[in-house]
Amino acid sequence: SKIAHKFPSWQLEIIGEDCGQKVLLEKQILDLQMKDYILLKPFTSDMESVYLNADIFVMSSYTESMPMVLIEAASYGLPIVAYDIGTIRDCFAPNPEIKNGIAYHKNGILVPDGDENLLCEAMRELLSNEAMRLEMGRQSLILAKERFSKEVIMQEWQDLLTALKR
């Protein structure tokens, strides 16, 4: 609601099981007058279509273990915006440029945990800068392949098992 009116052609899609929150979310969407901007969509086994039709992936989790969804989003060439928590950092390229408290990585933007205003600022910047979105998306593809491809992960397992065998 803090940025939607400045980007009327964009929509936020929240996808997944509601875990008892759907009624609450629907009420919040109506209270904030966001029904034209926020879509609640059910769980789908066709996430490929979701990723292929998306322009940005935003994760607003406050806690996360291994963020497989970020790896998936990166593998579809999406720039990522997220809070800087736990292992989420592993899904971002190293050596970010820090500006105004925001970490600009090659493949996305990390903001300090819980700083909603900076999360909105990061989204505003990507929504208004197509060149940045495209380049970060391209870098996401590279990072996903170099760090999380099946071949890389299988080699890591093989190295671990070989080391344990010694």
Side-chain angles (χ1 to χ4, degrees):
S1 67
K2 293 181 178 182
I3 64 173
H5 295 293
K6 293 181 180 176
F7 302 95
S9 64
W10 289 80
Q11 290 185 318
L12 170 66
E13 292 183 357
I14 301 173
I15 300 166
E17 298 301 318
D18 65 41
C19 300
Q21 299 296 312
K22 185 174 183 181
V23 172
L24 175 64
L25 286 173
E26 288 173 335
K27 182 181 180 333
Q28 286 179 324
I29 290 167
L30 290 174
D31 289 349
L32 294 169
Q33 300 175 359
M34 291 286 107
K35 66 181 169 76
D36 293 333
Y37 303 99
I38 301 173
L39 303 173
L40 298 179
K41 295 194 164 189
F43 168 82
T44 178
S45 59
D46 184 18
M47 283 305 295
E48 181 173 47
S49 292
V50 173
Y51 292 130
L52 290 173
N53 288 302
D55 293 292
I56 299 169
F57 187 89
V58 179
M59 178 176 266
S60 59
S61 297
Y62 292 116
T63 60
E64 197 66 41
S65 54
M66 186 57 180
M68 295 301 292
V69 68
L70 290 184
I71 296 168
E72 288 178 358
S75 73
Y76 281 91
L78 292 175
I80 301 167
V81 176
Y83 287 126
D84 189 358
I85 58 170
T87 59
I88 283 182
R89 233 172 272 114
D90 295 338
C91 297
F92 285 80
N95 306 318
E97 179 182 347
I98 309 295
K99 290 189 285 188
N100 300 322
I102 298 174
Y104 292 84
H105 294 258
K106 287 182 178 181
N107 66 310
I109 303 172
L110 275 176
V111 299
D113 185 18
D115 194 326
E116 186 179 317
N117 289 327
L118 288 181
L119 187 74
C120 289
E121 178 58 32
M123 289 190 298
R124 259 192 301 274
E125 189 152 7
L126 276 177
L127 290 170
S128 60
N129 190 332
E130 182 180 19
M132 179 186 279
R133 278 195 318 274
L134 293 173
E135 179 56 23
M136 284 183 171
R138 192 177 75 73
Q139 292 296 325
S140 279
L141 280 169
I142 293 168
L143 181 125
K145 184 176 183 180
E146 289 178 351
R147 198 176 294 169
F148 300 108
S149 70
K150 180 173 68 173
E151 295 77 19
V152 169
I153 299 302
M154 288 178 69
Q155 185 62 54
E156 288 179 7
W157 274 106
Q158 189 172 19
D159 294 347
L160 175 64
L161 294 172
T162 301
L164 291 172
K165 196 170 143 179
R166 291 187 199 147

